[in-house]
């Protein structure tokens, strides 16, 4: 299984990005296609080596060289049709050598033309033709999948535009890890908007995947970007987004409406008050990482239903207010983080892990989270993962939200 595709809005800082697979580029197409694992590319050679080891130690009447008939199919898993054809020619020639090699196989040269060996040559050739066809079909599918993935990544980049690293007195960093199988784009989303009421944040997770999820996420992000500037109250922002989602759902076939609900957290960091206001709509609770290293789950006192369900159950939203002082950090995330599992099936213990990095600035904290998630899951993420870290900048310089290498650039 290949490693999940990793894409996120982040600064590279000159260090190489960890990748668990090599990529092969189709000439003229500019499409990156995952190359097969190294062991698979070497599998034909390993297969031949095993036959060479077994052949001298088996009785003459057991011609192990017949196993070479399968060699073209083995090669078709990782190589193109031209390579498969070359390996087929090699297999036929190698069968003839083994058939008439007195010193190694114990057979006279006369065996080369024996009808059984002739049948082997013909069978190997036919299998080689089939293997070349299979290899060509596999490569066509890989190119098609690469095209779809390229379109998917482009659509997702347009949807999740880069968030500025500095919004007033708030430092913001984001992380996105996509584990989309067969390029089925996930519905994780985030946004940060500076407004007259402070910096307003959003993170959400659309139910389902594919174009339905992307369309729903686009509707929600568009509504939030408008409402964040217009509504003075954070709960009113959530209600307005809910109404936009409901109007959009009314235009869809009835079977699709229930598939488009969204869990989300809205947050507001006022410019002057040392607080953070949060509206939680059925989403995992944010984490407040204090300047003193404490980690607190901000559970809602009156949680709301996921968005797009208001038409069924009402659209009452309540905003909780918590202290958020200079140097504190707010971590918003999707359930792809907490539902990551290790090889034993244990869920990722986010609060416990974050305590180790509580003193780090936002970018470094998300970098550690990124690497730890891949290590914890064995590089097998089965759900998209998004996270947003916001830190209120201290009045003095040198705080944990700003670093000497420009973690959060000055305005």
């Amino acid at each position: 299984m290949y490693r999940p595709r990793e894409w996120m809005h982040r600064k590279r800082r000159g260090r190489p990005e960890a990748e668990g697979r090599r990529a092969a580029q189709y000439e003229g197409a500019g499409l990156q296609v995952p190359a097969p694992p190294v062991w698979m590319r070497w599998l034909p050679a390993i297969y031949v080596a095993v036959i060479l080891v077994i052949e001298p130690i088996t009785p003459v009447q057991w011609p192990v060289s017949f196993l070479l008939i399968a060699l073209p199919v083995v090669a078709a898993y990782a190589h193109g049709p031209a390579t498969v054809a070359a390996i087929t020619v090699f297999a036929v020639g190698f069968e003839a050598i083994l058939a008439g090699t007195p010193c190694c196989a114990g057979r006279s040269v006369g065996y080369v033309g024996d009808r059984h060996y002739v049948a082997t040559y013909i069978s190997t050739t036919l299998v080689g033709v089939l293997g070349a066809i299979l290899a060509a079909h596999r490569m066509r599918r890989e190119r098609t999948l690469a095209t779809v993935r390229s379109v998917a990544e482009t659509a997702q980049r347009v949807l999740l535009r880069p968030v500025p690293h500095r919004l007033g007195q708030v430092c913001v960093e984001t992380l996105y890890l996509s584990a989309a199988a067969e390029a089925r784009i996930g519905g994780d989303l985030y946004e940060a908007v500076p407004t007259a009421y402070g910096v307003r944040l959003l993170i959400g997770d659309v139910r389902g995947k594919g174009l339905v999820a992307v369309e729903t996420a686009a509707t929600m992000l568009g509504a939030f970007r408008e409402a964040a500037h217009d509504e003075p109250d954070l709960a009113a922002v959530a209600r307005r987004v809910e109404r936009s989602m409901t109007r959009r759902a009314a235009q869809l076939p009835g079977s699709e409406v229930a598939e488009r609900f969204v869990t989300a957290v809205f947050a507001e960091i006022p410019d002057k008050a040392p607080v953070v206001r949060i509206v939680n709509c059925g989403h995992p609770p944010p984490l407040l990482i204090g300047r003193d290293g404490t980690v607190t789950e901000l559970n809602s006192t009156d949680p709301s239903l996921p968005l797009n369900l208001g038409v069924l159950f009402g659209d009452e939203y309540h905003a909780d207010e918590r202290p958020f002082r200079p140097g504190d950090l707010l971590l918003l995330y999707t359930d792809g983080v907490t539902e990551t599992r290790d090889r034993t099936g244990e869920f990722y213990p986010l609060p416990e892990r974050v305590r180790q990095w509580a003193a780090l600035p936002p970018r470094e904290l998300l970098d550690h989270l990124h690497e730890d998630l891949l290590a914890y899951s064995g590089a097998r993420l089965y759900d998209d993962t998004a996270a947003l870290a916001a830190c209120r900048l201290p009045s003095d310089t040198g705080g944990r939200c700003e670093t000497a290498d420009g973690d959060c650039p000055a305005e």
Side-chain angles (χ1 to χ4, degrees):
M1 181 173 182
Y2 301 120
R3 276 185 69 163
R5 289 179 294 117
E6 300 170 19
W7 169 72
M8 53 186 167
H9 301 308
R10 57 181 293 184
K11 295 180 286 183
R12 297 297 175 190
R13 305 203 188 285
R15 59 181 184 176
E17 180 182 359
E19 295 201 16
R21 64 174 189 264
R22 297 173 57 193
Q25 185 170 12
Y26 282 95
E27 183 178 357
L31 300 176
Q32 297 294 326
V33 179
V38 175
W39 68 268
M40 187 174 288
R41 295 197 294 272
W42 282 95
L43 190 58
I46 296 172
Y47 190 78
V48 172
V50 171
I51 292 176
L52 283 174
V53 171
I54 297 177
E55 177 69 25
I57 61 177
T58 54
V60 175
Q61 62 270 25
W62 297 355
V64 180
S65 59
F66 283 119
L67 294 174
L68 288 169
I69 295 175
L71 185 60
V73 175
V74 173
Y77 279 102
H79 297 280
T83 304
V84 172
I87 290 177
T88 300
V89 173
F90 165 79
V92 173
F94 197 47
E95 287 169 347
I97 292 174
L98 291 179
T101 309
C103 63
C104 298
R107 304 182 186 90
S108 65
V109 178
Y111 276 96
V112 173
D114 183 85
R115 68 178 188 275
H116 296 294
Y117 285 98
V118 171
T120 301
Y121 309 150
I122 296 173
S123 299
T124 304
T125 302
L126 292 176
V127 171
V129 172
L130 293 176
I133 295 173
L134 288 174
H137 179 67
R138 174 184 59 80
M139 293 182 68
R140 281 195 298 270
R141 285 184 59 85
E142 287 177 349
R143 299 178 81 169
T144 300
L145 181 57
T147 302
V148 174
R149 281 179 171 164
S150 177
V151 173
E153 289 181 352
T154 301
Q156 204 147 30
R157 283 187 170 93
V158 171
L159 182 66
L160 297 179
R161 62 192 186 190
V163 172
H165 299 292
R166 176 79 177 267
L167 298 173
Q169 287 302 111
V170 179
C171 180
V172 180
E173 295 288 350
T174 59
L175 167 70
Y176 192 96
L177 299 177
S178 175
E182 298 294 317
R184 297 187 65 209
I185 316 171
D188 288 9
L189 56 95
Y190 54 74
E191 184 59 289
V193 180
T195 71
Y197 313 104
V199 177
R200 285 178 166 172
L201 310 172
L202 166 68
I203 195 163
D205 187 1
V206 180
R207 179 186 181 275
K209 292 186 179 294
L211 293 179
V212 171
V214 172
E215 185 180 5
T216 304
T219 300
M220 183 171 179
L221 285 171
F224 173 74
R225 287 163 184 162
E226 288 296 321
H229 290 282
D230 297 341
E231 301 294 341
D233 180 65
L234 188 63
V237 174
R239 279 191 292 271
R240 183 162 164 183
V241 172
E242 167 67 31
R243 288 195 295 268
S244 296
M245 300 285 290
T246 301
R247 283 196 300 269
R248 178 58 186 159
Q251 303 173 8
L252 302 173
S255 61
E256 294 187 7
V257 175
E259 297 181 3
R260 301 205 177 195
F261 71 81
V262 186
T263 65
V265 166
F266 298 86
E268 176 183 281
I269 304 175
D271 294 330
K272 297 180 180 179
V275 298
V276 60
R277 301 183 183 101
I278 294 173
V279 175
N280 193 323
C281 303
H283 200 77
L287 294 182
L288 177 62
I289 305 172
R291 193 170 188 174
D292 58 357
T294 59
V295 178
T296 307
E297 284 191 347
L298 301 183
N299 293 296
S300 177
T301 58
D302 187 11
S304 304
L305 291 171
L307 297 164
N308 206 28
L309 295 180
V311 66
L312 301 175
F313 304 102
D315 57 354
E316 292 298 322
Y317 297 99
H318 171 74
D320 292 303
E321 187 173 283
R322 302 295 182 91
F324 191 61
R325 301 177 179 85
D328 290 347
L329 187 146
L330 182 69
L331 180 63
L332 310 178
Y333 56 92
T334 60
D335 59 8
V337 175
T338 52
E339 292 182 1
T340 296
R341 299 184 186 225
D342 62 10
R343 289 179 174 83
T344 65
E346 293 292 327
F347 288 112
Y348 185 76
L350 179 62
E352 289 78 4
R353 297 281 181 151
V354 167
R355 286 191 180 94
Q356 307 172 48
W357 319 312
L360 298 177
R363 180 69 271 152
E364 293 182 28
L365 186 145
L366 291 182
D367 287 345
H368 279 75
L369 177 61
H370 165 213
E371 295 166 1
D372 198 45
L373 283 171
L374 294 179
Y376 189 83
S377 64
R380 288 172 171 82
L381 298 180
Y382 295 99
D383 194 7
D384 291 351
T385 297
L388 184 152
C391 183
R392 185 187 289 278
L393 297 173
S395 56
D396 58 335
T397 58
R400 78 97 167 261
C401 295
E402 288 188 287
T403 59
D405 61 355
D407 185 82
C408 189
E411 291 184 304

